[in-house]
């Protein structure tokens, strides 16, 4: 490889390293829960053992090379000692070490991050993966959200995950390991944020054209604020108050948006797209492909296929006035 080639490799490598280094947002190595803390310790232990093993092998190779012109073992001893060395380092040590790592990782860590103690799990959230958004249902209430998932901080929350279509994978790297959402099966994982904060996650199983635009934010709220949020989220939608909002609701029903979306408290009861009962209060739209601003809501409803090609949201060819009314109505649903 010439000098230009080396520079090219360096240029290709740098952004990857930079991206890997700036992952405070979605890094498994900045844990924000007891479970993720165990996972990050597991990573460092595995890395340390791997490096120690690598150093040992390199050390033995160097020793052999230095000693190559002499007979016998570098540190003395005959054929018996050589056989003992091969059996000890080549057979016994790997078996002991790998067994210990297996018990530690696959039995202790996996069990403590996966199998929740039902008595200590106070809350249950059902997560449903869709092409391409996350639906979150809060057990014991009517609350349904999309992509913005709220949990109380410092509380063990059991996530029961299933899929409405293909295989997805739910992962909030700072909170716990990933779980796959498999058709016909329910998988569980714990979310237990130690501190209030926003923890971003992303679908990690290729699930079609918009796999990359299938993100979620987990909001860990102080428990009192969480209870207020949940009580509000469980309420039916607020009725339209202005003329434009009323017009927006009519257009929403007439343009058959209600066939795909539910708005609790109205006749809209579709289940293909996200529940929009409190869409006005959400931070993101379209699997977090967009932040929920007035401009973005207009763009999204006006031409969804240019923003998220392949998504199930069709272009309804609304007039400018109807579009503005629908947006006014949806924004009023806080
Ligand atoms: Cu859902 Cu990738």
């Amino acid at each position: 490889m010439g000098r230009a080639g080396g520079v090219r490799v360096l240029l290709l490598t740098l952004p990857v390293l930079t991206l890997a280094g700036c992952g405070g947002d979605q890094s498994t190595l900045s844990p924000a829960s007891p479970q993720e803390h165990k996972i990050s310790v597991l990573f460092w232990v595995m890395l340390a053992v791997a490096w120690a093993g690598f150093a040992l092998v390199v050390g033995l190779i160097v020793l052999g090379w230095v000693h190559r012109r002499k007979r016998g073992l570098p540190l003395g001893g005959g054929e018996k000692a050589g056989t003992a060395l091969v059996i000890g380092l080549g057979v016994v040590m790997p078996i002991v070490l790998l067994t210990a790592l297996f018990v530690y990782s696959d039995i202790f860590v996996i069990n403590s991050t996966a199998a929740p103690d039902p008595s200590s799990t106070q809350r249950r959230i059902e997560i449903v993966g869709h092409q391409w958004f996350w639906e979150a249902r809060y057990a014991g209430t009517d609350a349904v959200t999309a992509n913005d998932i709220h949990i109380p901080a410092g509380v063990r929350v059991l996530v029961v995950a299933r899929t409405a279509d293909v295989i997805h994978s739910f992962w909030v790297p700072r909170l716990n390991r990933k779980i796959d959402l498999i058709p016909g099966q329910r998988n569980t994982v714990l979310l237990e944020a130690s501190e209030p904060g926003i923890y971003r996650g992303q679908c990690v199983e290729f699930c079609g054209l918009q796999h990359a635009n299938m993100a979620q934010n987990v909001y860990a709220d102080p428990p009192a604020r969480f209870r207020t949020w949940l009580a509000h989220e469980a309420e039916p939608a607020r009725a339209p108050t202005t003329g434009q909002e009323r017009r927006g609701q009519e257009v929403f029903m007439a343009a058959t948006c209600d066939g795909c979306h539910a708005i609790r408290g109205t006749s809209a009861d579709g289940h293909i797209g996200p529940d929009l009962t409190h869409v006005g209060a959400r931070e993101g739209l379209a699997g977090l492909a967009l932040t929920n601003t007035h401009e973005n809501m207009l763009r999204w409803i006006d031409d969804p296929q240019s923003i998220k090609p392949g998504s199930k949201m069709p272009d309804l060819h609304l007039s400018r006035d109807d579009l503005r009314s629908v947006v006014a109505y949806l924004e009023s649903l806080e």
Side-chain angles (χ1 to χ4, degrees):
M1 182 163 40
R3 201 163 153 218
V7 170
R8 241 176 279 143
V9 168
L10 189 69
L11 285 177
L12 280 173
T13 316
L14 270 180
V16 174
L17 291 176
T18 316
L19 283 174
C22 72
D25 212 14
Q26 289 193 76
S27 168
T28 52
L29 299 182
S30 55
S33 75
Q35 296 77 25
E36 191 55 43
H37 182 74
K38 284 181 191 157
I39 292 171
S40 67
V41 169
L42 172 67
F43 171 82
W44 291 117
V45 169
M46 288 286 194
L47 190 69
V49 172
W51 272 109
F54 182 65
L56 179 68
V57 170
V58 170
L60 288 175
I61 290 173
V62 170
L63 198 61
W65 184 78
V66 169
H67 198 74
R68 66 192 181 286
R69 303 213 191 280
K70 296 170 198 149
R71 292 188 66 81
L73 292 174
L75 302 174
E79 201 166 314
K80 256 191 174 166
T83 310
L85 205 63
V86 167
I87 292 175
L89 290 183
V91 181
V92 178
M93 194 180 77
I95 289 177
V96 170
L97 210 57
L98 292 178
T99 306
L101 286 177
F102 172 79
V103 171
Y104 168 50
S105 63
D106 283 40
I107 296 179
F108 283 105
V109 177
I110 295 276
N111 276 346
S112 65
T113 57
D117 168 6
S119 62
S120 65
T121 304
Q122 298 172 8
R123 289 218 166 258
R124 179 187 286 251
I125 298 178
E126 190 184 2
I127 297 285
V128 188
H130 293 262
Q131 283 174 315
W132 289 278
F133 69 95
W134 300 96
E135 176 184 338
R137 302 181 157 266
Y138 295 77
T141 77
D142 290 334
V144 185
T145 65
N147 310 313
D148 287 15
I149 300 166
H150 286 247
I151 60 170
V155 173
R156 289 162 75 92
V157 177
L158 177 62
V159 168
V160 181
R162 64 184 174 86
T163 172
D165 36 54
V166 300
I167 300 176
H168 303 273
S169 194
F170 179 85
W171 193 27
V172 186
R174 294 190 62 201
L175 295 182
N176 209 336
R177 64 198 188 84
K178 57 185 88 159
I179 44 163
D180 281 357
L181 280 58
I182 314 263
Q185 187 169 329
R186 278 163 204 270
N187 286 335
T188 58
V189 74
L190 274 179
L191 292 184
E192 185 184 1
S194 306
E195 299 289 334
I198 304 171
Y199 305 102
R200 198 175 189 279
Q202 159 73 43
C203 181
V204 278
E205 178 74 38
F206 180 71
C207 55
L209 214 52
Q210 292 296 330
H211 156 69
N213 283 321
M214 186 170 171
Q216 75 273 40
N217 269 330
V218 172
Y219 294 81
D221 301 327
R225 198 199 295 171
F226 172 79
R227 282 192 293 274
T228 314
W229 174 86
L230 186 60
H232 176 71
E233 203 66 29
E235 284 171 9
R238 161 187 180 284
T241 49
T242 69
Q244 194 184 31
E245 288 167 20
R246 269 191 290 276
R247 172 80 193 130
Q249 192 186 45
E250 282 168 27
V251 173
F252 186 89
M253 305 299 172
T256 65
C257 304
D258 60 339
C260 291
H261 295 281
I263 297 179
R264 282 170 280 127
T266 73
S267 60
D269 193 27
H271 290 288
I272 293 168
D275 181 302
L276 300 178
T277 308
H278 296 285
V279 66
R282 278 183 211 147
E283 301 283 332
L285 294 174
L288 305 190
L290 298 171
T291 48
N292 189 5
T293 63
H294 179 71
E295 222 23 69
N296 281 343
M297 182 97 89
L298 277 170
R299 277 174 58 213
W300 172 233
I301 298 172
D302 188 35
D303 191 4
Q305 293 301 318
S306 78
I307 292 166
K308 238 176 136 168
S311 90
K312 290 183 181 134
M313 176 104 162
D315 178 357
L316 295 167
H317 305 287
L318 297 176
S319 71
R320 213 61 207 164
D321 258 12
D322 285 352
L323 180 65
R324 286 189 189 285
S325 303
V326 167
V327 170
Y329 172 55
L330 292 177
E331 283 178 338
S332 78
L333 301 178
E334 294 209 314

